[in-house]
Amino acid sequence: QITLKESGPALVKPTQTLTVTCSLSGLSVSTSGTGVGWIRQPPGQALEWLAFIYWDDTERYSPSLRSRVTITRDTSKNQVVLTMTNMARKDTATYFCALMRRTDAFDYWGQGTLVTVSS
Amino acid sequence: SYVLTQTPSVSVAPGTTATISCEGDNIGDKSVHWYQRKTGQAPLLVVHGNTVRPSGIPPRFSGSNSGFTATLTINSVEAGDEAEYYCQVWDTSGDPSVVFGGGTKLTVL
């Protein structure tokens, strides 16, 4: 059974850097043809894609957030990590990680982790 | 960048058909995926590749895609279908990127 679980701080201060981790079980992050993405949803707003990393370490970023976001893989821990710099109140959102396999759709999602940006 | 436009809300009575649209420039040339997002739950993939239902998704859910509009159709709507629905594509016009529509809130009256 494939599961994803996000973890990270519930509260960050403005200007701080956010680090959230996606732990994958039931499938290796190195499995050919797969990738993991990060998507967020601010309260009352739509889903917004942030970043994506393929099994071969190819990275993709949202054009609007490219300067602030970095995605990496830790194959030894079977995790994917997202960092976002210079956090602001508008970055308050539920952050999801999701698995993409050969369908190029996100077919497994974590439950999400709510991150609030406040001083 | 590529933009997907969805009607913000759709309301239907139980047992009827809900039609949720997703508009984009020549979207018919792309592979469209649909997600259901219920309050407090993770998004759920309900249709991928325009028309394919993942295992476990009832046949009441179907998708189509042509020209400038992709459509998610839900037949015999049930109260449990009330949720937000999002379309998604990959924009490969430059560096590949994922694009989500703005979402449609389906209300079952």
Side-chain angles (χ1 to χ4, degrees):
Chain A
Q1 180 185 2
I2 295 172
T3 62
L4 296 90
K5 184 174 176 63
E6 305 88 348
S7 58
L11 180 68
V12 297
K13 289 180 168 47
T15 76
Q16 287 187 334
T17 294
L18 170 70
T19 300
V20 283
T21 300
C22 177
S23 299
L24 183 65
S25 63
L27 187 75
S28 168
V29 293
S30 299
T31 301
S32 179
T34 65
V36 174
W38 282 95
I39 301 100
R40 70 180 179 181
Q41 186 170 28
Q45 298 184 42
L47 296 173
E48 178 185 20
W49 173 70
L50 305 176
F52 184 83
I53 189 164
Y54 287 95
W55 84 99
D56 62 357
D57 270 336
T58 300
E59 300 163 23
R60 303 295 184 203
Y61 293 99
S62 165
S64 63
L65 291 167
R66 174 184 299 272
S67 63
R68 298 176 52 209
V69 171
T70 303
I71 190 169
T72 57
R73 287 185 319 144
D74 186 332
T75 55
S76 66
K77 296 180 180 178
N78 212 33
Q79 293 177 335
V80 173
V81 178
L82 180 84
T83 60
M84 181 178 291
T85 61
N86 195 26
M87 294 289 284
R89 286 183 174 78
K90 65 181 180 179
D91 296 313
T92 292
T94 298
Y95 286 74
F96 295 98
C97 62
L99 176 68
M100 182 175 291
R101 299 183 293 172
R102 297 185 184 278
T103 63
D104 88 357
F106 293 109
D107 53 357
Y108 288 90
W109 293 67
Q111 285 299 308
T113 184
L114 176 62
V115 178
T116 300
V117 183
S118 175
S119 55
Chain B
S1 60
Y2 196 78
V3 175
L4 294 174
T5 301
Q6 295 184 241
T7 303
S9 63
V10 169
S11 298
V12 299
T16 64
T17 297
T19 301
I20 298 171
S21 64
C22 176
E23 297 182 347
D25 192 26
N26 289 317
I27 195 173
D29 295 335
K30 297 184 179 297
S31 180
V32 179
H33 317 302
W34 291 92
Y35 302 89
Q36 178 192 69
R37 169 90 155 109
K38 294 183 179 179
T39 302
Q41 297 185 20
L44 174 69
L45 179 68
V46 295
V47 168
H48 66 85
N50 299 321
T51 61
V52 182
R53 279 178 293 104
S55 174
I57 302 301
R60 301 187 295 105
F61 289 81
S62 63
S64 63
N65 184 19
S66 179
F68 287 76
T69 305
T71 302
L72 175 69
T73 301
I74 309 172
N75 293 314
S76 302
V77 168
E78 301 173 356
D81 297 331
E82 186 162 290
E84 295 173 340
Y85 290 86
Y86 293 89
C87 55
Q88 177 250 310
V89 300
W90 275 88
D91 175 16
T92 56
S93 60
D95 283 343
S97 61
V98 172
V99 180
F100 284 98
T104 297
K105 170 64 176 177
L106 174 65
T107 299
V108 182
L109 300 170

